[in-house]
Amino acid sequence: QNGRFALAYGATPIEARERAASGLLVNPTSLISQRLEWVSRIPSLADPDETRFLRKCASVMKVNTLSPEGTIRQHWSTPDRVPHQHMWLWDSVFHTTGMNWLDPGLSWEFLQAMLEHARPGGCMPITVHVDGFSYNMTQPPVLAWGVWHNYHVTHNRERLAQAAPILAAYLEWNLHNRDQNGNGLLEWLIEENERCRSGESGMDNSPRFDSALVLDAVDFSTFQAMDMHCLSLIYTELGEADAATHWEGRARSISHAIHEQLWNPAIQFYTDRDMQGNFTNVRSSSGFLPLLLPDLPIERLPALLAALKDPHAFASAFPVPSVSLDHPEFSTDMWRGATWV
């Protein structure tokens, strides 16, 4: 038509023809301008190379943003098109920390896509496929943190009200299903796969899990405390004082348990403990996460800072490595060395 052609797929020949016909009516100049509008939101920096790098980062985020499909009813994000390709819990939240600067409404869609796929009973699954398939496994709880920080730029209280009960059910699920010994500290699910002992943790193959034992985990417990604190802030913003007090009290309780039970005085670091109460003595990047907690005993700060600055511990060329440089299993595997979250 007028020298133009359209290529379209469909479930039937009729649907494909209708889509092709619709495509021929599109003004390509207008469409391209619309699709590139988001580029104008990327700031220009003093250094042209830094501006180019920043635009590349934004481009990667945009490429990994997908349209509604299957059971996912809004835009969503994926860590990468291959091999992960699905929607992942904590990755989706991390993506919002960048997208909040460019398109906070799109960030909310990332969060909403996850919220709408909570499993019966409250579990927020580690990953969701477009056909609705998900696992009864979770990932580090940072979703309330993501919702709270998105609110800082959208100021949309209706979204907070929508998210709050789902977040509460999710954090309750963690407490009821990931605390075998009932001591207030959480334990990651341990898998049979030697190359991925704990996909839930996001530190799949860490030496922390080489023993294949269930552990009171520093990172899981810290993320849970932080997310419960954020949920308390959400309820405060919604004017629900009783709920806010409830969740803040529980956040403080688990934070206190972390400092009481997971500080390893022998090595002056936070480490996991097995179900018999024995420290693993594995110094991992997860041992720094209690720095996120507001009640960190101040006298422990020098020891943590010293570990960060120690060339035999965590002062690598590209810090922070996922495990201490002096660990016998340190390697190029991102969960056993190198740099990882």
Side-chain angles (χ1 to χ4, degrees), residues 117-123 136 173:
H117 281 85
R119 291 174 62 89
C123 174
N136 201 39
W173 187 92

Side-chain angles (χ1 to χ4, degrees), residues 148 160 163-168 230-245 247:
W148 179 240
L160 283 188
I166 304 173
L167 294 170
C230 289
L231 182 57
S232 173
L233 295 175
I234 288 170
Y235 276 121
T236 298
E237 192 70 14
L238 293 173
E240 299 187 33
D242 289 345
T245 299
W247 284 104

